[in-house]
Amino acid sequence: MSRLSLICENDVCSLVPQNNIEIKITDVYDGDTFTFVHLFHNIPISLNLRLFGVNAPERRNQVASKETSLEKQAGILVGNHVRSLICNKILKCSITDWDKYGGRVLGTIEFQHDGNTMDLSEYLISKRFVKRYDGKKKDSYTDEELRYIIEHCK
């Protein structure tokens, strides 16, 4: 990975990946999507970040059903848990690229938990609150997985 920079030429700016930048998480949408602010040459820039390598249960579903109701409940709980861990904190982040849909960057986040520096993706995987995701087809959550999250993510 290279360094994140806003490269500006002829008033056109582009984002280039960077390691280990300081960011402040200003909003948590769900367990894998956040808004952050980064100071670039003392100018705050705000971007949305998709956590690299994981997929959290969705808060909003296209089809209303019993299954999606469980997923929505689990998604809200995971989002709230992540919010309690990282929101309004200064954290280290490595940005790899734009996500496949554009509009968000992909990255990893380090945070402090019980006195240890941890990778947020690995922490959430170890708790079984998210699934690994390689950027291709997302695996659906089973009812059993969602009930586990609902029971343990409080």
Side-chain angles (χ1 to χ4, degrees), residues 136-151:
K136 296 183 178 124
K137 186 177 185 301
K138 296 178 182 176
D139 290 334
S140 296
Y141 281 88
T142 66
D143 286 356
E144 181 181 341
E145 289 169 323
L146 295 170
R147 285 188 183 99
Y148 175 88
I149 293 167
I150 292 165
E151 175 67 26

Side-chain angles (χ1 to χ4, degrees), residues 10-91:
N10 301 325
D11 296 325
V12 176
C13 297
S14 62
L15 185 67
V16 179
Q18 180 177 27
N19 287 329
N20 214 22
I21 63 170
E22 283 193 347
I23 64 169
K24 181 177 183 179
I25 302 294
T26 57
D27 190 31
V28 174
Y29 177 72
D30 62 19
D32 59 27
T33 307
F34 324 112
T35 302
F36 72 90
V37 173
H38 170 66
L39 287 178
F40 181 76
H41 296 293
N42 292 322
I43 299 169
I45 59 168
S46 179
L47 292 168
N48 292 326
L49 180 134
R50 172 82 162 73
L51 199 56
F52 181 78
V54 298
N55 181 48
E58 300 298 327
R59 290 177 39 169
R60 192 177 350 169
N61 300 92
Q62 303 297 336
V63 180
S65 69
K66 178 183 170 191
E67 292 78 24
T68 58
S69 169
L70 281 175
E71 184 169 5
K72 180 178 180 177
Q73 189 177 355
I76 290 169
L77 288 170
V78 172
N80 290 342
H81 181 67
V82 170
R83 186 175 291 106
S84 73
L85 295 172
I86 67 170
C87 200
N88 295 315
K89 295 183 179 169
I90 305 295
L91 304 168

Side-chain angles (χ1 to χ4, degrees), residues 109-125:
I109 293 176
E110 291 182 352
F111 75 109
Q112 293 294 312
H113 184 66
D114 294 334
N116 298 311
T117 300
M118 301 186 77
D119 177 277
L120 182 59
S121 297
E122 293 304 318
Y123 167 82
L124 293 170
I125 290 167

